Structures are given as C-alpha cells and as structure tokens.
Amino acid sequence: ICPANCSGVGTDVLVDSRVPLRCSSPGWEETPYDISTVLSSYVYFNCRSSMEYTEMLWLAEGREDIMTTQLASKVTLYNGNSSLRYGPIGIDDDGTAIGCEVSTDYGKLPSSLGRISIQFHPTYSPKTIQVAIIGQPYEFDFNYTSGTPPTSFKWAKNGVPFHGDGERVTFDHAGIIFTRVLQHDAGQYQVTAKNTAGEAIAKSTLRVVYWYSESHVQTGSSARPTFTSKLAVTIALQQEQQRKTTVSAGNSVSFHIPRHNDSTNYAIQVIRRLLKRASEESQQQGRARLRTERILRKVLQLVGLYYNITVNDQDMMKIHSLTNCTAVQKTFNCYTKAVLKYRTFDGTCNNFFYPLNGAAPVPFARLLPAQYQDGISLPVGHNQEDQFAPPWPSPRLISSKIVKSFAPPNRAGLTHMFMQWGQFLDHDLDIA
C-alpha cells in the first residue's frame, strides 16, 4: 500500500493498481514519456543520451528489442534511430510501454518507459433517482464506466454550477460524496466530462428522506444507501484530520539533570537515551505508518467488511498526503556514475524503471492476497476467541510437527546467542 516504513502494516484492503515511481534520468537529455491518445492515431517517442554510447535499441516493455516483437509492424525509426513513430493505435495497444537502451562503458543503460494510454469516450450510466437519508453519509455515484478518467469535468445542480460545500460535500468526475446529507442537497445533478476522445453529459436526481422504507425502491429509487470504500475513506480522512489538529505531536525531548553528586552518571544515562532515539525521519515514517493503519481500520469499520475492499489510487494518495508518507513522493537519481558502478546498500535503483522494487523497507510482492484476522495487520489465529474466525494452531506447534531437524547434536558448544548475533548482523546489513 504505502511503499515505505509507514506501510509496514500488511492489509487486506486492496489497491486497484500501484502507481510506479519512475527514476529521474540526468544521463538522458530526452526520454519517452507517457502519452494519452485515441484509436487510429500515431504517437512519437524520442531518445537522446548525454553519455557516449555505441548502440541504441528501442525496447518493448523495457525488455525486448521492439523490432523483434509483433509490434515491429507499427514502428518507424528515423533521425538515426533516436526517434520512433508508433501506430496506427489499436485497442490492443492500450498500456503498451516503449523505452530505449544504450550501450556504454558502464554497460547497457535503459531509459524510462513511455506508456501509451488510449482515451475512450466518457461514459456514464447513473440511476435516474437515488435516495439519501438526511443526516447520514452518502455517495452519489454516477457510475462512470469509461475506464479512462476525463481531462476536465464540471458539475451543476438544478441548472446552476455546483462547487460542493467545503469538507461536507466533495466530488470528482465519478460522483459526489456527502459526509452528512442535508435537506437542501436534494435536486437534479448534472456532470459534464471531457477528454481527448469526446464529451459526455449525465444527469441523476437525489431525493432526501428522513427514513428508509421499501417504498422508495418501489417508486424507482435506488436501494438502501450503504457505505462504499470511497465514502468510508473520505469520512476516515476527515476524522483523522480533526484528530491531527487536536493532538500535539510532542516531538521535542527535554531532560532535567538534578543537582547531586551523581550527576555525571545521570548525564551518561541521558546521552545513552538520546543515542537510542530514532532519527526524525524514522519517527515521522513511524507516525505515518500508525496513522495509515488507523485510517484503514476506520474504513473497515465503516464498510463493515474485512475482505474484498478496494481502495483506488486516488484515495490512497489522499491517505499518503494526510499522513505525510513522504516515501511515495521521493525521486531517485539512478544515473549517477556511483550508482551505475556500484549497487546501492538499500536496494534502490536496482531496477532502473521502478527504483523502489526490492528496496528496503518496501513490502514484498505477494503471490496470494493478504489474509489477516482483522483485515489489517493481525495474523490469523492471533485472537483464538474471535467468533468470526476459526481457531488456528500456533506456529510453534506447526513447525514442531512438520519441520524436524535430523542434524547431529551441537558439538561446537554454541548457544542461541550465536544464532541471534548472526540475525542481528544480517538484518542490520540488509535493513530487513
């Protein structure tokens, strides 16, 4: 979720797609970049390196020579192979990534990737009438089904431009979030969205009632309003923001040295305490981690489900921004001579395209979805009395029954401290 210490928690709250962090490229004067286009058009990429090189290749997905792939029929190279034209764009080209690579004295150096994104015509399919209960939160969803976010959009209510209502009413291109519905929120809403492919207009009427009954469904209204993950994230962020303004951070530390003969020893104890304190950056990331976990727990509490909850990229970036999770906004210079010649000790820039992949302390990629007892971080079986979770045997019991050691007895006289010291050195060196 959050690719740093502030996301040290595991979670069953899923993210639609991780936004890759791209490294800066001072070794390049010009590199491919992401392009939004429409069907049947052409796109252009350029590559110019400031380093001396003997050969330049264009790569598909950063791996294969593009001229040896099925994409070659759409490729035209010119300007001494430094420019590439690709097209005509078809439906299968959506998400295609193109980059270049040069051979230098330091080895083969890839550029950043330029990804093709096809803009489809905006499409909405909202319900004609939707029902909200006064005083309750509600997500007024217009069911945006295009899959391509619009480049611009505007809202209107009863024919008048609509700009929301502070933190109580917020909106994006897909709908409006009411953290607390009021009577005057009722009315007909209209959204107009545009992108490169065209424009769409959608309308829906919001009815505000004092209680919910099945008659609202029979009259053509929507089903009972429920908490969606998007609505839950909005409310959780607001509550966390209010908590942030009322709770002091309390980062400063002061010590009082008493006047007595043993003040020297006391001063030594104070110095030791200071040396054991984590750096300010580590403390900040630790606080961000706790706040991120608190927000996600609130989301689960509001939605009322522990599994299959999806939080999209935009909402996760809002969480990162509020919790000051600075790692997601870091930029990396992966093309300095030092980095090109030596590997970094923390694993960053081992992957030039996504410099955080495999770096400390970024979570590992999962082969299967996470499964935690509370949906956030508690391991399954942590609470044996949980009525919603079956009892699980302890890890110690499993290891003792399944994994058995047939090694000869310890003849070197080593204790567990030998193993523990090795663990300390290993985890310290690789920042595990």
Side-chain angles (χ1 to χ4, degrees):
I1 299 293
C2 175
N5 274 334
C6 51
S7 69
V9 295
T11 177
D12 291 334
V13 180
L14 305 178
V15 180
D16 287 347
S17 60
R18 176 172 296 179
V19 178
L21 295 176
R22 301 192 182 277
C23 54
S24 57
S25 306
W28 294 87
E29 295 179 359
E30 189 172 6
T31 60
Y33 53 87
D34 295 346
I35 295 179
S36 296
T37 186
V38 295
L39 294 174
S40 302
S41 64
Y42 290 82
V43 295
Y44 298 83
F45 298 104
N46 295 302
C47 266
R48 289 191 300 141
S49 176
S50 59
M51 304 181 68
E52 294 184 1
Y53 62 90
T54 57
E55 183 184 22
M56 175 182 290
L57 292 177
W58 287 88
L59 305 179
E61 302 297 333
R63 293 187 297 271
E64 299 180 80
D65 182 353
I66 197 170
M67 302 307 295
T68 64
T69 67
Q70 60 182 2
L71 305 179
S73 60
K74 296 185 176 183
V75 173
T76 302
L77 299 178
Y78 55 98
N79 289 341
N81 284 0
S82 63
S83 299
L84 179 147
R85 186 185 76 166
Y86 186 84
I89 299 297
I91 189 68
D92 295 333
D93 294 319
D94 189 36
T96 298
I98 297 177
C100 54
E101 179 183 80
V102 294
S103 299
T104 72
D105 293 339
Y106 299 102
K108 295 183 181 297
L109 301 180
S111 72
S112 57
L113 294 176
R115 195 169 297 276
I116 299 174
S117 175
I118 299 178
Q119 294 282 314
F120 297 97
H121 195 284
T123 305
Y124 289 93
S125 57
K127 296 178 180 178
T128 305
I129 300 175
Q130 301 187 49
V131 175
I133 302 177
I134 193 168
Q136 299 295 316
Y138 187 71
E139 179 182 358
F140 193 26
D141 187 15
F142 269 56
N143 194 20
Y144 186 77
T145 58
S146 171
T148 305
T151 54
S152 64
F153 63 91
K154 59 183 179 180
W155 286 90
K157 176 185 177 183
N158 298 328
V160 179
F162 179 72
H163 304 289
D165 185 9
E167 294 184 353
R168 188 184 70 85
V169 183
T170 58
F171 56 81
D172 59 15
H173 67 277
I176 303 174
I177 295 292
F178 298 89
T179 57
R180 186 167 59 90
V181 175
L182 301 180
Q183 183 63 49
H184 66 262
D185 291 328
Q188 184 184 68
Y189 291 80
Q190 173 181 301
V191 59
T192 304
K194 298 179 180 180
N195 64 15
T196 309
E199 176 182 296
I201 299 176
K203 298 179 181 180
S204 182
T205 299
L206 180 67
R207 294 182 56 192
V208 177
V209 299
Y210 285 91
W211 65 88
Y212 181 86
S213 66
E214 297 302 323
S215 62
H216 296 140
V217 177
Q218 298 172 3
T219 57
S221 304
S222 64
R224 179 189 297 273
T226 57
F227 270 103
T228 63
S229 61
K230 185 176 181 179
L231 177 59
V233 167
T234 302
I235 295 176
L237 286 173
Q238 288 189 7
Q239 294 183 359
E240 182 64 24
Q241 180 64 39
Q242 295 173 357
R243 187 179 187 279
K244 179 181 179 181
T245 57
T246 56
V247 178
S248 174
N251 293 328
S252 60
V253 177
S254 60
F255 297 95
H256 172 66
I257 301 180
R259 296 177 178 276
H260 54 71
N261 296 333
D262 201 22
S263 59
T264 301
N265 291 334
Y266 185 84
I268 293 176
Q269 295 177 16
V270 170
I271 292 175
R272 287 176 176 173
R273 291 175 62 184
L274 289 173
L275 291 176
K276 291 181 179 179
R277 294 187 69 232
S279 66
E280 181 59 33
E281 180 181 4
S282 298
Q283 293 185 61
Q284 190 273 326
Q285 292 297 312
R287 288 191 293 268
R289 172 193 179 278
L290 294 176
R291 297 184 67 194
T292 299
E293 181 174 349
R294 185 163 55 236
I295 291 172
L296 293 178
R297 288 188 183 281
K298 185 62 178 180
V299 171
L300 291 178
Q301 177 186 347
L302 292 173
V303 176
L305 298 173
Y306 274 168
Y307 304 101
N308 299 324
I309 298 175
T310 300
V311 178
N312 59 39
D313 291 337
Q314 291 75 21
D315 288 337
M316 281 309 306
M317 292 305 297
K318 291 178 183 178
I319 295 176
H320 294 157
S321 177
L322 179 63
T323 59
N324 295 324
C325 183
T326 57
V328 297
Q329 302 176 2
K330 284 185 178 179
T331 58
F332 295 86
N333 184 350
C334 294
Y335 288 89
T336 64
K337 291 185 178 180
V339 174
L340 295 175
K341 189 174 182 180
Y342 303 102
R343 291 297 183 101
T344 58
F345 80 99
D346 62 354
T348 55
C349 292
N350 286 345
N351 186 318
F352 286 109
F353 300 124
Y354 310 114
L356 278 180
N357 283 12
V362 179
F364 293 109
R366 294 184 179 275
L367 297 178
L368 295 173
Q371 183 176 354
Y372 293 90
Q373 182 161 323
D374 63 344
I376 294 290
S377 62
L378 291 181
V380 174
H382 178 270
N383 182 7
Q384 296 287 350
E385 298 180 358
D386 189 345
Q387 59 178 331
F388 300 105
W392 293 80
S394 69
R396 176 61 180 169
L397 177 62
I398 296 175
S399 61
S400 62
K401 294 294 185 181
I402 297 179
V403 182
K404 296 184 179 180
S405 175
F406 297 97
N410 176 17
R411 303 185 186 279
L414 301 177
T415 67
H416 279 83
M417 181 57 70
F418 182 82
M419 174 277 300
Q420 197 63 51
W421 177 249
Q423 288 276 293
F424 172 78
L425 290 180
D426 173 64
H427 290 189
D428 181 65
L429 290 175
D430 58 21
I431 323 179

